[in-house]
Amino acid sequence: MRLTLSLSDNPAATAVERAIMEFRSARPVVIDGAQGSALAVGVENLDEAMSVEIGAMAGGHAHLVLPAARLRRLGLERDTPGRVALPVVDRSRVELLALRTDGRIDAPVRPADPRDEEALELARLSLMLPAVIVVPLAPGVEIDPSLLRVSGEAVRGYRRANALDLKIVSRAPVPLEGAPTSEFVVFRGGEGLRDQVAIIVGKPDLSKPVTVRLHSACLTGDLFGSLKCDCGDQLRETVRFMAHNEGGVLLYLDQEGRGNGIANKIRAYKLQSQGYDTYDADEVLGFEADQRRFDFAAVMLKELGVGKVRLMTNNPEKIAALSQAGLDVISDHRVLGRPTAENVSYLAAKRDRAGHYIDLEGMLACSNKD
């Protein structure tokens, strides 16, 4: 009798996860769709040798796909992605169009087709720069059989299909400074291949409204005390508050750099050092104002038995997301860090451009008194 071992109960999602790893490893991926197949490769991994190889394979039919945010930086008012022809795959030109601050559009921009948009989504899922070289493949063309193939439909639907697919994989008590009765609960899922953590501080009564914070991971601020943001202050102040006020739940979410990933966050920091604000820097890189989703955070809270929340946040998007996900947001409360010479412009940009509830003048007044 022959037995078949099933490697996945969701082959489409598994293929996307493998494609993410291929993309992050600088290997091209073939995207199959209704309009045919196309080879996709991220521009941040493009070197001279790969440029020559792709150019030879494309035969003049490659194109560069750019998101709307980057096109706006190149001088076009766009709200949808577009593509620029690459008759020759010239690495320096690709870099100019996809990344450099002095880039300007130098050729007609055509609307992106579904394969182009799926390639961009694969780059975003991989936490890579959202700029991709796409080579349409003619029917019957021979390609390296080792190249991974993935359905464009699976890529397009991956984030939505997996957002709410979470499960607890481990939990244990972890005493914290100032909050000795704390438990870490690790979830897998929600944002693809990453783990998410819930920290239960104290012994909150789940039958009553529970103090909750959704905290996006910030390596530079949380761990190293960066002066460019207020994240570390917010994290530690939240834990202290919960420990002294009937406990609470802090969700530590793997969403570095507003969902863009640590590499892109550091690229944005370099641009900020050149005078761009936090949102303009992200737009130069091709990102819209915020890539994060919070629907899976609501699933984590429900899994822990939380139904009513007192939300500690300055971000109106988090309040709306939990309410839309069916949680009862009883109240929302501000979490303010210390203003510094290095983060004042960052705090002002969040207030003025993203509508965060930040009383910067009040913070500065209190800081000057201290």
Side-chain angles (χ1 to χ4, degrees), residues 306-324:
V306 176
K308 298 180 179 180
V309 303
R310 294 190 297 263
L311 191 59
M312 298 184 69
T313 186
N314 306 328
N315 188 346
E317 293 294 330
K318 293 180 180 180
I319 301 169
L322 291 192
S323 296
Q324 291 167 8

Side-chain angles (χ1 to χ4, degrees), residues 163-168 171 183 185-188 190 196-201 204-215 238 242 247-253 293-313 317-331:
L164 308 183
D165 183 19
L166 292 118
K167 60 180 179 180
I168 294 174
R171 61 192 303 165
E183 181 183 18
V185 184
V186 179
F187 291 76
R188 186 154 297 155
Q196 314 294 342
V197 182
I199 299 96
I200 303 174
V201 179
D205 185 347
L206 302 184
S207 67
K208 299 178 180 178
V210 176
T211 300
V212 167
R213 173 162 173 79
L214 314 185
H215 188 93
T238 295
M242 290 178 176
V249 178
L250 186 150
L251 301 188
Y252 196 78
L253 308 175
R293 298 167 58 112
F294 301 107
D295 46 359
F296 71 93
V299 176
M300 294 171 67
L301 291 169
K302 291 175 183 178
E303 185 71 19
L304 294 172
V306 176
K308 298 180 179 180
V309 303
R310 294 190 297 263
L311 191 59
M312 298 184 69
T313 186
E317 293 294 330
K318 293 180 180 180
I319 301 169
L322 291 192
S323 296
Q324 291 167 8
L327 287 171
D328 190 355
V329 181
I330 300 297
S331 58

Side-chain angles (χ1 to χ4, degrees), residues 22 85 92 108 128 149 162 167-168 186 283:
E22 290 293 289
S92 60
M128 310 283 278
R149 307 185 76 110
N162 289 272
K167 60 180 179 180
I168 294 174
V186 179
E283 188 175 65

Side-chain angles (χ1 to χ4, degrees), residues 44-185:
E44 71 176 76
N45 294 319
L46 191 69
D47 56 23
E48 290 297 339
M50 186 178 287
S51 298
V52 172
E53 190 172 351
I54 293 173
M57 178 184 192
H61 296 293
H63 54 265
L64 174 65
V65 185
L66 297 171
R70 180 60 188 176
L71 290 174
R72 291 194 295 270
R73 282 288 153 179
L74 293 174
L76 296 178
E77 281 303 316
R78 297 290 289 266
D79 55 10
T80 57
R83 68 189 197 189
V84 180
L86 296 176
V88 176
V89 182
D90 180 341
R91 181 188 178 193
S92 60
R93 179 176 179 238
V94 169
E95 180 181 341
L96 181 68
L97 291 173
L99 186 59
R100 283 173 43 182
T101 57
D102 59 343
R104 290 297 180 269
I105 202 66
D106 62 2
V109 177
R110 298 181 59 191
D113 69 19
R115 289 175 304 186
D116 298 331
E117 295 191 4
E118 289 150 7
L120 274 182
E121 176 65 1
L122 182 57
R124 294 188 190 100
L125 288 169
S126 304
L127 301 181
M128 310 283 278
L129 277 175
V132 186
I133 294 175
V134 173
V135 180
L137 299 175
V141 67
E142 291 188 11
I143 61 171
D144 185 341
S146 69
L147 290 178
L148 188 137
R149 307 185 76 110
V150 64
S151 158
E153 182 180 3
V155 172
R156 190 180 288 268
Y158 179 82
R159 198 185 298 268
R160 181 181 63 255
N162 289 272
L164 308 183
D165 183 19
L166 292 118
K167 60 180 179 180
I168 294 174
V169 293
S170 59
R171 61 192 303 165
V174 180
L176 303 177
E177 182 178 358
T181 305
S182 297
E183 181 183 18
F184 277 52
V185 184

Side-chain angles (χ1 to χ4, degrees), residues 200-243:
I200 303 174
V201 179
K203 298 290 184 180
D205 185 347
L206 302 184
S207 67
K208 299 178 180 178
V210 176
T211 300
V212 167
R213 173 162 173 79
L214 314 185
H215 188 93
S216 296
C218 176
L219 175 70
T220 50
D222 296 343
L223 184 59
F224 292 100
S226 167
L227 299 177
K228 287 181 63 64
C229 66
D230 56 346
C231 304
D233 287 347
Q234 289 180 313
L235 176 65
R236 282 173 276 280
E237 175 57 29
T238 295
V239 172
R240 282 194 292 269
F241 179 87
M242 290 178 176

Side-chain angles (χ1 to χ4, degrees), residues 277-292:
D277 79 14
T278 180
Y279 296 106
D280 285 336
D282 281 351
E283 188 175 65
V284 168
L285 297 174
F287 295 104
E288 299 294 344
D290 199 331
Q291 310 300 311
R292 293 174 296 178

